[in-house]
């Protein structure tokens, strides 16, 4: 059995309620619930002491706790914002962070664990332990999981200190066990499980649907085969399940019942779609539909601006009510949109004419779903953007991006000749772009490399008799020195006519390269020793020098 991984599962305590407490600290000491429609979708732990549960009807909750304070929670904006902050924070521990809903994250910390083990630090278990630890597996997983508990503790502390939120953590060698074990001690706590206790944990689940991958539908299918509990599943005839679910799914489900889950932690990128929907009180006129969609579009654009990517596809969702058959049906249609409709500097606002163009597209989708020449009744409208263009940013920066930036600084307009592999002409960034406005841009090694190139460019520029010195700030880099070409301190030689001071500030590898280039050039054409450009006819450097 493979126990090589160490996975931490983090689940924030009463998430929406904690966010509301951040906004209004007075709530902290009072029983309160977050309301969506007629339900309390979550409540703080004080309210839970009264027996209030998630998704309880308001009326029922009020009976249990007449003083229950209710806060509306339909607008997910703040929850989403904080949710991404938590994920960003966890990404500092591993690049393998998988978001699950708004308040859960799986983090594969295997790499960090092995680093800590290599450093030889003392190992201790932090938090609760599930099951018997008198005879642990000797493959090394015990130590790894112990280190995992320390990492989970660090994560929780950081989330508390930096975001003022409490959470629970589960530590295990796979995702299934990590998720299940984390909820054993709540709130503000953590629990580890070692592989030898996996079966015990699975058997402690009182219902098959407690296994995360087994939803209600699959649970029902299994129940129809008289497989109702985890032990039923463990003891079931595999061939029968195989017949029902097919070989792959059957194996997955069967394995899960023993706590076996090889599924990897998949690094969550940005959401694949950004959308909002609004249930409405039966709309039956096109004008109302348009108004509603316009409102949705404006709300959606705010989310898009927060996300930062440029939408490429718009999707419309419509729920129609069929009076005759008394059924509601949802239908969606989507189409591509012109990315030039968006102004990258202010994605949240479209110009009037662009808004009209987009609304025309959306209404065209609407008429594909709804025959507007006949009576209709709409009970829900939704808008989403489903494909996006990533703009170049600090994180996925390429040399081209740096060129764009630097060219901007220099006000050079002739950039048509550059080819942009990840972008299209209509979205050439006019400002530097940070993917997540909340996230701190990470230092980029390529940036250093580029600044070296720029330094090189400046270095050569002077010799090339630059026509526009102000652009290149060559004043700082004047190559007017009469230093000797050799250096007695074993430093890399500064080419003649170069400003030694400036030269010495350059990184060693660049100095080396400059010297080599100088030498090459000198050897090639001693009479024209300053024409260093010729030494590399096709280099980026040449491009830069030209411009
Ligand atoms: N939520 C929701 N609808 C549900 C359940 C939850 O909209 N049926 C929202 C509200 C929760 C959030 O999702 O705050 C996270 O769900 P959890 O199940 O993790 O619940 P909590 O974080 O609120 O509580 P817990 O402390 O049990 O994790
Ligand atoms: Mg939670």
């Amino acid at each position: 059995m493979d126990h090589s991984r160490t996975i931490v599962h983090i689940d924030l305590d009463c998430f929406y309620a904690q966010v509301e407490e951040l906004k209004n600290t007075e709530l902290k000491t009072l029983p309160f619930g977050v309301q969506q429609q007629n339900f309390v979708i979550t409540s703080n732990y004080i309210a839970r002491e009264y027996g209030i549960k998630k998704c309880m009807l308001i009326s029922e909750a009020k009976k249990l706790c007449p003083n229950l304070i209710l806060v509306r929670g339909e607008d997910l904006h703040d929850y989403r914002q904080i949710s991404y902050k938590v994920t960003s924070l966890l990404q500092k521990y591993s690049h393998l962070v998988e978001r699950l809903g708004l308040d859960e994250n799986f983090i594969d910390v295997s790499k960090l664990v092995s680093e800590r083990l290599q450093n030889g630090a003392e190992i201790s278990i932090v938090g609760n332990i599930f099951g018997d630890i008198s005879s642990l597996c000797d493959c090394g997983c015990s130590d790894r999981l112990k280190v995992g508990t320390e990492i989970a503790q660090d994560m929780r502390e950081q989330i508390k200190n930096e975001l003022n939120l409490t959470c629970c953590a589960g530590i295990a060698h796979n995702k299934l066990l990590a998720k299940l074990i984390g909820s054993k001690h709540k709130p503000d706590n953590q629990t580890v499980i070692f592989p030898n206790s996996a079966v015990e944990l699975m058997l402690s689940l009182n219902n098959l649907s407690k296994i995360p991958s087994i939803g209600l539908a699959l649970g029902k299918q299994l129940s129809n085969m008289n497989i109702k509990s985890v032990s039923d599943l463990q003891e079931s005839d595999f061939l029968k399940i195989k017949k029902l679910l097919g070989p792959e799914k059957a194996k997955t489900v069967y394995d899960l019942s023993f706590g076996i889950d090889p599924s990897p932690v998949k690094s969550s990128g940005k959401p694949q779609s950004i959308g909002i929907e609004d249930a409405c009180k039966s709309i039956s006129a096109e004008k109302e539909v348009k108004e509603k969609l316009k409102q949705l579009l404006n709300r959606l654009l705010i989310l898009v601006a927060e996300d930062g990517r440029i939408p490429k596809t718009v999707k419309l969702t419509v729920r129609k009510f069929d009076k005759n058959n008394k059924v509601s049906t949802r239908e969606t249609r989507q189409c591509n949109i012109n990315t030039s409709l968006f102004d990258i500097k202010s994605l949240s606002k479209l110009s009037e004419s662009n808004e009209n163009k987009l609304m025309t597209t959306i209404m065209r989708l609407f008429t594909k779903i709804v025959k507007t020449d006949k009576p209709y009744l709409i009970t829900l409208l939704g808008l989403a953007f489903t494909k996006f263009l990533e703009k170049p940013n600090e994180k996925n920066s390429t040399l081209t991006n740096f060129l764009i930036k630097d060219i901007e600084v220099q006000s050079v307009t002739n950039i048509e000749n550059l080819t942009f592999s990840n972008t299209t002409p209509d979205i050439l960034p006019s400002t530097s772009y940070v993917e997540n406005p909340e996230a701190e841009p990470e230092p980029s090694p390529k940036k250093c490399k580029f600044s070296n190139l720029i330094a090189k460019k400046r270095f050569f520029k002077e010799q090339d008799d630059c026509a526009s010195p102000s652009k290149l700030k060559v004043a700082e880099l004047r190559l007017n020195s009469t230093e000797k070409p050799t250096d007695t301190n074993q430093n890399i030689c500064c080419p003649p006519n170069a400003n030694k001071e400036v030269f010495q500030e350059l990184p060693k590898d660049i100095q080396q390269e400059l010297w080599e280039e100088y030498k090459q050039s000198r050897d090639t054409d001693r009479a024209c020793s300053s024409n260093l450009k010729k030494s590399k006819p096709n280099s980026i450097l040449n491009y830069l020098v030209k411009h």
Side-chain angles (χ1 to χ4, degrees), residues 403 406-407 410 412 450-464 471-472 474 477 479 510 514 540-541 543-547:
L403 286 169
D406 201 69
I407 282 161
Q410 296 171 38
V412 174
F450 187 68
S451 53
N452 294 346
L453 269 169
I454 293 300
K456 262 173 91 173
K457 172 186 68 175
R458 288 172 181 155
F459 178 90
F460 286 110
K461 194 71 184 178
E462 182 72 352
Q463 302 207 358
D464 204 36
K471 285 179 190 168
L472 298 165
V474 286
L477 293 152
L479 305 175
I510 300 295
L514 290 169
I540 288 171
L541 183 60
Y543 172 83
L544 292 167
V545 173
K546 253 189 262 164
H547 286 275

Side-chain angles (χ1 to χ4, degrees), residues 229-248:
S229 66
V230 174
S231 66
D232 289 344
L233 184 55
Q234 287 179 351
E235 288 155 20
S236 65
D237 181 349
F238 182 70
L239 289 177
K240 273 192 189 168
I241 317 175
K242 199 167 138 186
K243 214 170 169 188
L244 176 78
L245 307 173
E248 256 179 55

Side-chain angles (χ1 to χ4, degrees), residues 16-17 20 32-43 56-59 62 68-76 79:
Y16 289 9
E20 294 303 334
F32 85 95
V34 179
Q35 174 181 2
Q36 275 182 4
Q37 294 176 342
N38 293 329
F39 297 93
V40 180
I41 50 160
T42 194
S43 61
M56 193 176 247
L57 273 170
I58 300 279
S59 50
K62 279 279 191 189
L68 183 73
I69 296 166
L70 290 167
V71 179
R72 301 298 304 205
E74 274 92 1
D75 185 351
L76 304 185
Y79 311 143

Side-chain angles (χ1 to χ4, degrees), residues 19 266 316 424 428:
V19 176
K266 291 186 214 110
L316 174 70
T424 53
L428 275 182

Side-chain angles (χ1 to χ4, degrees), residues 9-16 18 42 45 48 54 102-104 166-168 186:
H9 174 259
I10 296 277
D11 184 337
L12 290 149
D13 299 325
C14 56
F15 181 48
Y16 289 9
Q18 278 205 84
T42 194
Y45 275 79
R48 289 186 197 192
K54 286 174 226 172
L102 286 185
D103 84 329
E104 291 178 52
T166 64
C167 63
C168 285
K186 285 167 64 164

Side-chain angles (χ1 to χ4, degrees), residues 471-515:
K471 285 179 190 168
L472 298 165
K473 298 187 185 149
V474 286
E476 305 157 31
L477 293 152
R478 291 192 69 81
L479 305 175
N480 56 2
S481 164
T482 51
E483 296 282 332
K484 288 176 191 160
T486 50
D487 186 314
T488 49
N489 296 330
Q490 298 298 304
N491 290 328
I492 297 162
C493 296
C494 174
N497 305 323
N499 183 326
K500 196 177 176 193
E501 245 172 62
V502 174
F503 182 83
Q504 275 170 354
E505 274 176 30
L506 295 172
K508 285 275 181 270
D509 54 341
I510 300 295
Q511 288 182 354
Q512 183 71 42
E513 217 175 316
L514 290 169
W515 172 246

Side-chain angles (χ1 to χ4, degrees), residues 193-376:
I193 180 171
F194 294 93
N196 64 311
S197 304
V199 174
E200 185 189 341
L201 174 66
M202 296 315 293
L203 288 172
S204 75
L205 304 176
N206 54 14
N207 194 322
L208 264 186
S209 63
K210 291 269 156 72
I211 299 179
S213 317
I214 301 184
L216 282 179
L218 181 53
K220 208 162 179 198
Q221 271 180 304
L222 292 169
S223 173
N224 290 340
M225 291 172 66
N226 228 5
I227 301 171
K228 296 190 164 116
S229 66
V230 174
S231 66
D232 289 344
L233 184 55
Q234 287 179 351
E235 288 155 20
S236 65
D237 181 349
F238 182 70
L239 289 177
K240 273 192 189 168
I241 317 175
K242 199 167 138 186
K243 214 170 169 188
L244 176 78
L245 307 173
E248 256 179 55
K249 202 167 178 187
K251 166 129 183 35
T252 305
V253 168
Y254 192 67
D255 280 353
L256 288 174
S257 71
F258 291 95
I260 300 166
D261 174 22
S263 67
V265 174
K266 291 186 214 110
S267 164
S268 304
K270 292 210 159 189
Q272 288 182 338
S273 86
I274 303 174
I276 41 173
E277 320 192 309
D278 250 1
C280 39
K281 273 188 197 146
S282 45
I283 297 181
S284 53
E286 206 168 323
K287 194 172 154 240
E288 280 177 82
V289 171
K290 201 169 175 183
E291 238 165 61
K292 187 85 196 163
L293 286 172
K294 225 175 185 174
Q295 283 171 13
L296 284 176
L297 177 63
N298 285 320
R299 278 168 53 199
L300 186 57
L301 286 172
I302 293 170
L303 300 180
V304 167
E306 278 164 14
D307 177 273
R309 289 169 297 170
I310 303 166
K312 266 189 357 183
T313 307
V314 66
K315 184 169 95 178
L316 174 70
T317 302
V318 176
R319 189 174 66 196
K320 292 182 285 188
F321 183 68
D322 180 345
K323 263 188 187 166
N324 301 328
N325 299 318
K326 300 255 181 286
V327 286
S328 292
T329 50
R330 282 171 81 105
E331 244 182 89
T332 61
R333 284 281 190 291
Q334 64 178 42
C335 70
N336 290 339
I337 46 178
N338 190 344
T339 51
S340 65
L341 291 175
F342 299 91
D343 173 1
I344 58 158
K345 282 187 207 153
S346 98
L347 284 169
S348 63
K349 201 102 197 90
L350 293 180
S351 70
E352 204 179 324
S353 76
N354 285 345
E355 184 179 307
N356 289 340
K357 279 184 203 163
L358 192 48
M359 279 310 299
T360 309
T361 308
I362 293 168
M363 288 311 288
R364 216 176 287 142
L365 290 176
F366 180 74
T367 51
K368 281 188 181 164
I369 300 175
V370 178
K371 290 195 174 65
T372 47
D373 52 347
K374 293 189 179 142
Y376 56 84

